[in-house]
Amino acid sequence: MTLDIILEEIKKANTIVILTHESPDGDAIGSSLAMEKALRDMGKEPDVIIKEYPRIFNFLPNANKVKEETDVEKYDLAISLDCADLKRLVGKEYFEEAKKTIVIDHHGSNTMYGDINFVNPVAPACCEILIGMFTYFNIDINIELGSCILTGIITDTGGFQWGGVTPETFEFAAELVRNGAKLKEICRIALRKKSKVHCELEKLIYDRMEFFEDGKIAIAYLTLEDYNNLNAEIGDDEGLVEMLRDIEGVEIAILLKEKEGANGFKASLRSHETINVSDICMLLGGGGHRGAAGCFVSGALDQAEKKVINAVKQGLKN
């Protein structure tokens, strides 16, 4: 069984590194810190490498243990969490140099790039996969571990609203709350708390949003100049694309965010899951979930807009 193999690799590894995807969200950070805590409870001393993450997640247990890099040149074991492909993995050099690699994920577009791959595309969050894994490993899911896991589930399901949520998801969450995880606090910080910069970015989105295909497509953009003028930090733009998706009549929302030094834009796409935006993004070299996906689009703003809108229009026809 795959879980037995994973446990065996963990037990025999002396050095372990935990990695996740670029622009990490609550599920990426929650699953990384949950894995770090679980491995420490197993007697290991893993490193967690996340170069940048939204500061709102500093409330999570052991967030202060996250590193931007390490001096270790070659790990016995590298564990990738919540990342569908190697090109999006931050610290992929550690992954590629490791003696053994494990991928734990819930994206249907996962490319199975590890030596051992434990992928469940039905799970609404990577953190939900970890519950079953840690239970199988006989690890006590205490308040610290539970807080990390519940944060991942809450953020990746939009507070239990989005696709993939099952009765088991609520049962898992209830058990985590019984073990001490603070549901109200996690929801307040991870879902509702906004920085002042976020509100300024919202204003820009409202001023710039355009509609196509009789209002079925909504699109807006943010430039590097916008981020620099507002002194924006990573995470300040979280949730802006959902704001577009929630407009009446919109079936697909697009937010283009200019990437520094990349000559292009990161496109974040959202839908109500009647349209599979992961398929659209895969055509543009990206991927994700049915209702939430992303990709990188090269070129100036008008070129990037044209590429994405054409792909989305084709997606609406299929």
Side-chain angles (χ1 to χ4, degrees), residues 153-172:
I153 292 174
I154 285 172
T155 53
D156 241 31
T157 63
F160 306 102
Q161 298 179 78
W162 300 337
V165 175
T166 65
E168 287 75 20
T169 305
F170 289 101
E171 290 166 6
F172 287 140

Side-chain angles (χ1 to χ4, degrees), residues 2-303:
T2 304
L3 286 179
D4 291 316
I5 298 172
I6 291 174
L7 181 57
E8 180 183 348
E9 292 298 333
I10 290 173
K11 285 181 175 179
K12 69 183 185 183
N14 292 316
T15 56
I16 303 175
V17 63
I18 298 167
L19 307 166
T20 190
H21 61 77
E22 61 187 0
S23 303
D25 54 12
D27 193 26
I29 298 162
S31 57
S32 296
L33 292 176
M35 180 61 73
E36 192 272 348
K37 169 61 176 168
L39 293 181
R40 286 192 181 276
D41 288 348
M42 296 172 68
K44 302 295 179 177
E45 294 185 6
D47 289 326
V48 181
I49 297 178
I50 304 176
K51 293 188 177 180
E52 291 183 300
Y53 67 91
R55 54 188 169 84
I56 63 167
F57 294 110
N58 282 337
F59 78 96
L60 286 174
N62 301 321
N64 61 332
K65 292 182 179 177
V66 171
K67 301 178 180 180
E68 292 187 9
E69 59 184 4
T70 74
D71 296 329
V72 180
E73 294 184 3
K74 189 167 186 174
Y75 285 91
D76 293 334
L77 179 64
I79 301 175
S80 166
L81 292 156
D82 194 39
C83 187
D85 56 69
L86 186 60
K87 66 183 179 182
R88 289 201 67 211
L89 191 67
V90 173
K92 63 180 180 181
E93 63 273 16
Y94 300 105
F95 192 88
E96 291 175 317
E97 290 294 323
K99 296 176 183 177
K100 205 74 174 181
T101 60
I102 296 173
V103 171
I104 301 168
D105 187 31
H106 70 124
H107 293 89
S109 57
N110 192 285
T111 58
M112 304 296 179
Y113 55 95
D115 296 323
I116 305 165
N117 300 285
F118 192 69
V119 179
N120 179 7
V122 176
C126 186
C127 275
E128 185 168 309
I129 296 174
L130 294 184
I131 296 176
M133 178 178 290
F134 295 158
T135 300
Y136 188 82
F137 293 168
N138 291 318
I139 295 171
D140 177 36
I141 302 180
N142 53 32
I143 183 171
E144 288 188 337
L145 200 50
S147 296
C148 295
I149 292 174
L150 188 56
T151 297
I153 292 174
I154 285 172
T155 53
D156 241 31
T157 63
F160 306 102
Q161 298 179 78
W162 300 337
V165 175
T166 65
E168 287 75 20
T169 305
F170 289 101
E171 290 166 6
F172 287 140
E175 185 61 25
L176 296 173
V177 172
R178 276 192 288 269
N179 290 346
K182 302 290 191 291
L183 177 64
K184 181 179 178 181
E185 179 184 2
I186 292 171
C187 286
R188 178 182 66 80
I189 297 174
L191 294 182
R192 297 194 300 274
K193 191 174 182 180
K194 296 180 181 180
S195 66
K196 291 183 177 64
V197 171
H198 178 98
C199 297
E200 294 294 334
L201 292 172
E202 278 189 358
K203 289 163 62 177
L204 291 175
I205 295 297
Y206 278 123
D207 287 341
R208 293 170 177 173
M209 61 186 181
E210 294 182 87
F211 299 93
F212 297 88
E213 298 295 290
D214 297 322
K216 293 178 181 178
I217 301 171
I219 187 170
Y221 67 89
L222 293 170
T223 66
L224 288 175
E225 185 178 6
D226 298 327
Y227 287 105
N228 292 332
N229 288 343
L230 294 170
N231 292 317
E233 299 179 0
I234 184 170
D236 281 332
D237 56 12
E238 191 70 28
L240 293 175
V241 66
E242 281 82 7
M243 182 179 78
L244 291 171
R245 181 202 54 199
D246 293 339
I247 297 171
E248 183 179 8
V250 171
E251 294 186 22
I252 300 179
I254 309 162
L255 179 60
L256 298 177
K257 297 180 284 188
E258 189 175 9
K259 301 295 288 184
E260 188 171 4
N263 187 33
F265 292 77
K266 177 186 177 183
S268 295
L269 275 66
R270 298 291 185 271
S271 74
H272 298 287
E273 300 191 3
T274 51
I275 308 293
N276 191 332
V277 291
S278 178
D279 286 349
I280 295 172
C281 286
M282 286 179 72
L283 293 174
L284 296 169
H289 300 290
R290 183 177 182 86
C295 59
F296 176 79
V297 186
S298 60
L301 177 61
D302 57 343
Q303 296 171 318

